[in-house]
Every structure is written in structure tokens, then in C-alpha cells.
């Protein structure tokens, strides 16, 4: 009897270990510096697209991990309108070639200092990312 209890307990632990190994890690928050969206474009894409491709780049800015929405803002909004998950992919090879020519500090400054039409914000909530508001000096 004791043997079967230990066997079940060992099996439970083994299953818990497998479940932990298969657990999908939590994604860093999705941020952007583009708020402009054309509602007509979003509506058209939501009605006609089956796959909503969104390019993101995962990076560390001021010590915190983020997923930076690089391209596909309208696709992201259309996917949300349809109630489906977008398909996330990396930026194109040309962009990555240029980015990889920069030092890590230059890359960080690039993502902090280059704004499209607004300060960095969390895409899901619209809140400004306060720790990214001040520009980054490269001379530091």
C-alpha cells in the first residue's frame, strides 16, 4: 500500500515537471510608438484577411524586456477586431542586418529615441511607458 502511494506521488511529481517544462513563458509587454490607425483600413483587413501578420522585435530597454511592435499595427488592430490572435514574426532581414551593425547600447538608444508619432505606450492598455520617456544619450 505504501509502495503504491509513493508510486502515484512520484508519478504526479513527474507530470508536474513535464507540465512546467512545457509551460509557455510569459511574453514581455508589447509596446509601440505609433498610435495612428486608419479605421477604414482596419475594417477592410478584418473583413478580408485570414492571417494577420505583425512584426515584433524583442529587446531590453533600460533593463526591462519588451516586444516592440515594428510593423503591422493595422493588422494587429484588425485581428483584435475579429477576435483572433495575430501571427507574430520578426522584422525583415534588411532591418536586422542594419540593427546588428550597431552595438547593444546603440540598439537600445535607437529603440528609445526613434519615435513614430507618440511616446512609447503599452499596446494592450494605451498607457505611456514612463521609464522610456526620457531620451537616451549615447555618450554616457
Amino acid at each position: 500500500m505504501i509502495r503504491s502511494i509513493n508510486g502515484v506521488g512520484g508519478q504526479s511529481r513527474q507530470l508536474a515537471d513535464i507540465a512546467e517544462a512545457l509551460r509557455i513563458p510569459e511574453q514581455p509587454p508589447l509596446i509601440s510608438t505609433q498610435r495612428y490607425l486608419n479605421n477604414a483600413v482596419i475594417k477592410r483587413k478584418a473583413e478580408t484577411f485570414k492571417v494577420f501578420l505583425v512584426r515584433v522585435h524583442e529587446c531590453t530597454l533600460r533593463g526591462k524586456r519588451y516586444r516592440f511592435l515594428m510593423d503591422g499595427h493595422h493588422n494587429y488592430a484588425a485581428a483584435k477586431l475579429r477576435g483572433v490572435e495575430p501571427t507574430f514574426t520578426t522584422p525583415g532581414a534588411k532591418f536586422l542586418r542594419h540593427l546588428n551593425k550597431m552595438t547593444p547600447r546603440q540598439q537600445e538608444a535607437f529603440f528609445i529615441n526613434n519615435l513614430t508619432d507618440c511616446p512609447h505606450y503599452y499596446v494592450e492598455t494605451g498607457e505611456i511607458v514612463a521609464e522610456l520617456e526620457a531620451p537616451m544619450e549615447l555618450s554616457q
Side-chain angles (χ1 to χ4, degrees):
M1 186 124 189
I2 294 174
R3 182 184 223 170
S4 66
I5 292 171
N6 287 341
V8 170
Q11 194 173 28
S12 305
R13 182 69 237 154
Q14 197 172 28
L15 289 174
D17 290 344
I18 291 169
E20 178 62 26
L22 295 175
R23 187 176 62 84
I24 297 171
E26 189 174 315
Q27 292 287 332
L30 184 63
I31 64 171
S32 177
T33 62
Q34 176 185 323
R35 284 199 192 260
Y36 171 77
L37 293 171
N38 182 318
N39 288 327
V41 171
I42 293 168
K43 184 177 184 237
R44 179 184 54 80
K45 288 182 176 212
E47 291 170 352
T48 59
F49 283 22
K50 290 183 180 12
V51 176
F52 301 92
L53 194 63
V54 177
R55 293 186 185 276
V56 296
H57 180 70
E58 195 166 314
C59 55
T60 300
L61 305 175
R62 296 196 169 130
K64 186 173 176 187
R65 296 294 294 168
Y66 296 98
R67 287 181 308 144
F68 199 99
L69 202 162
M70 303 289 299
D71 188 32
H73 290 76
H74 287 87
N75 286 352
Y76 184 86
K80 292 300 178 185
L81 182 63
R82 284 266 308 270
V84 299
E85 278 300 307
T87 300
F88 292 101
T89 187
T90 59
K94 182 177 179 181
F95 175 81
L96 291 175
R97 263 195 319 276
H98 288 288
L99 188 66
N100 289 329
K101 291 177 184 176
M102 299 179 200
T103 67
R105 183 156 175 81
Q106 289 171 326
Q107 289 179 26
E108 183 179 22
F110 173 80
F111 282 102
I112 291 173
N113 295 342
N114 290 287
L115 308 176
T116 302
D117 66 11
C118 67
H120 298 84
Y121 70 96
Y122 294 104
V123 174
E124 293 299 321
T125 65
E127 266 183 90
I128 297 293
V129 183
E131 60 267 20
L132 299 180
E133 283 193 283
M136 182 175 169
E137 296 293 326
L138 274 173
S139 60
Q140 295 176 341

